[in-house]
Amino acid sequence: MTTWRHSVKSLLIATIAIAIVSSAHAQSLPGGFVYLRDIDPTIIQDIRYATSVNFVGRPLAGYGAGECVVKREVGLRLKAVQQELSSQNLSLKMFDCYRPGRASLDMVRWSQNGRETAADRRYNPRIPKTELFRLGYIASRSQHSTGAALDLTLVDLKADNSAKYDSSRIYADCTAPVEARIPEGSVDMGTGYDCTDLKGHTAASSINPDQRAWRRRLVAAMAKQGFVNYSKEWWHFSLPGAGGAAYDFPIPPRRN
């Protein structure tokens, strides 16, 4: 009986030890990286590449959790942007933050797989996917992998943001009116997120005055904290000097 109790006790201790190690591993990040949720939990997150609601149509390699991971300085500056926006009943919404290097290669492989589907054309209505790399929409090495680049938008907290993606519905492409395209629970920027089209360029002339005003408002709010917009994507911003080496660690779940 003593031997049996000793074996059970040893097994229990080993199980607890494994659980502790696994839990610690589940939220371990390289030095300098943080979960944005730990810096500012009020910033809304909708990490699209951890889901199937993106231009590839499935979760990308390395996205083990739908969490925004950034360099600490980036997180602190986002917090400052959010504090200013909150007084205007607005919020940031994050679509992508740190991106594992393997996810960028996953995008490149997708662009070269020789298939053009209706789902692809929701995001690339006029540009063949094989051209996305040459035109600068996809890169084998992304600034996102440094932890200093972001994809984001604005949310009007007074508006009805309850519309959700319905997998059974056929949506129009990303340049269509907001009520016809994939819902994003955010202000109408003139195109959906990840829209590889001239209309997605930040200074596009083909959008209406309200949409143009929202883009300018987002760019101005981010610029106050040093973020720079990428002219071909109204949603993409980076913080010069905060990046450095590119990383390829997978995004682990955050422990509450």
Side-chain angles (χ1 to χ4, degrees):
M1 182 66 73
T2 301
T3 301
W4 179 82
R5 286 177 177 173
H6 178 74
S7 298
V8 171
K9 183 178 180 181
S10 298
L11 179 60
L12 180 60
I13 292 172
T15 302
I16 292 173
I18 291 171
I20 291 172
V21 170
S22 298
S23 178
H25 178 72
Q27 67 163 7
S28 60
L29 297 174
F33 282 86
V34 296
Y35 289 97
L36 180 60
R37 212 178 296 278
D38 289 335
I39 300 291
D40 191 337
T42 72
I43 296 176
I44 301 168
Q45 297 189 29
D46 182 9
I47 307 302
R48 289 296 178 92
Y49 298 145
T51 75
S52 60
V53 188
N54 59 60
F55 67 89
V56 177
R58 56 171 171 74
L60 288 178
Y63 282 80
E67 289 287 346
C68 175
V69 171
V70 291
K71 288 289 184 67
R72 179 174 294 278
E73 180 185 357
V74 173
L76 292 173
R77 294 201 187 205
L78 287 172
K79 180 181 178 69
V81 175
Q82 180 77 346
Q83 287 174 337
E84 180 174 345
L85 291 174
S86 63
S87 65
Q88 306 165 46
N89 288 306
L90 297 173
S91 173
L92 293 174
K93 173 180 258 192
M94 314 305 298
F95 287 130
D96 194 33
C97 302
Y98 160 74
R99 180 184 305 164
R102 69 194 72 182
S104 294
L105 295 178
D106 204 359
M107 291 180 181
V108 173
R109 285 192 295 270
W110 165 85
S111 72
Q112 299 171 346
N113 67 13
R115 297 191 300 274
E116 290 273 2
T117 68
D120 293 341
R121 287 189 288 274
R122 288 180 186 168
Y123 296 89
N124 314 298
R126 298 174 184 87
I127 302 174
K129 63 195 293 185
T130 53
E131 291 292 292
L132 297 178
F133 188 89
R134 182 180 66 81
L135 294 174
Y137 291 107
I138 290 177
S140 58
R141 182 189 183 281
S142 171
Q143 279 187 307
H144 282 275
S145 298
T146 71
L150 313 153
D151 292 342
L152 49 81
T153 190
L154 290 175
V155 175
D156 181 352
L157 298 175
K158 303 188 304 298
D160 179 3
N161 300 305
S162 61
K164 303 296 182 185
Y165 175 76
D166 180 354
S167 60
S168 66
R169 178 179 168 184
I170 298 177
Y171 292 99
D173 73 59
C174 58
T175 65
V178 65
E179 62 273 8
R181 62 184 190 251
I182 292 175
E184 293 177 349
S186 57
V187 303
D188 181 10
M189 292 287 189
T191 75
Y193 167 55
D194 257 356
C195 190
T196 52
D197 187 86
L198 291 176
K199 200 174 180 181
H201 292 194
T202 308
S205 60
S206 54
I207 59 176
N208 68 44
D210 287 342
Q211 295 161 346
R212 191 171 298 111
W214 279 121
R215 291 188 186 189
R216 288 173 177 166
R217 196 166 181 176
L218 175 60
V219 170
M222 295 294 287
K224 286 183 179 180
Q225 291 299 322
F227 291 99
V228 176
N229 173 248
Y230 175 47
S231 63
K232 287 188 175 182
E233 299 174 347
W234 60 257
W235 54 86
H236 179 96
F237 293 83
S238 59
L239 184 62
Y247 288 77
D248 186 36
F249 64 89
I251 300 172
R254 170 182 168 273
R255 186 176 59 191
N256 294 328

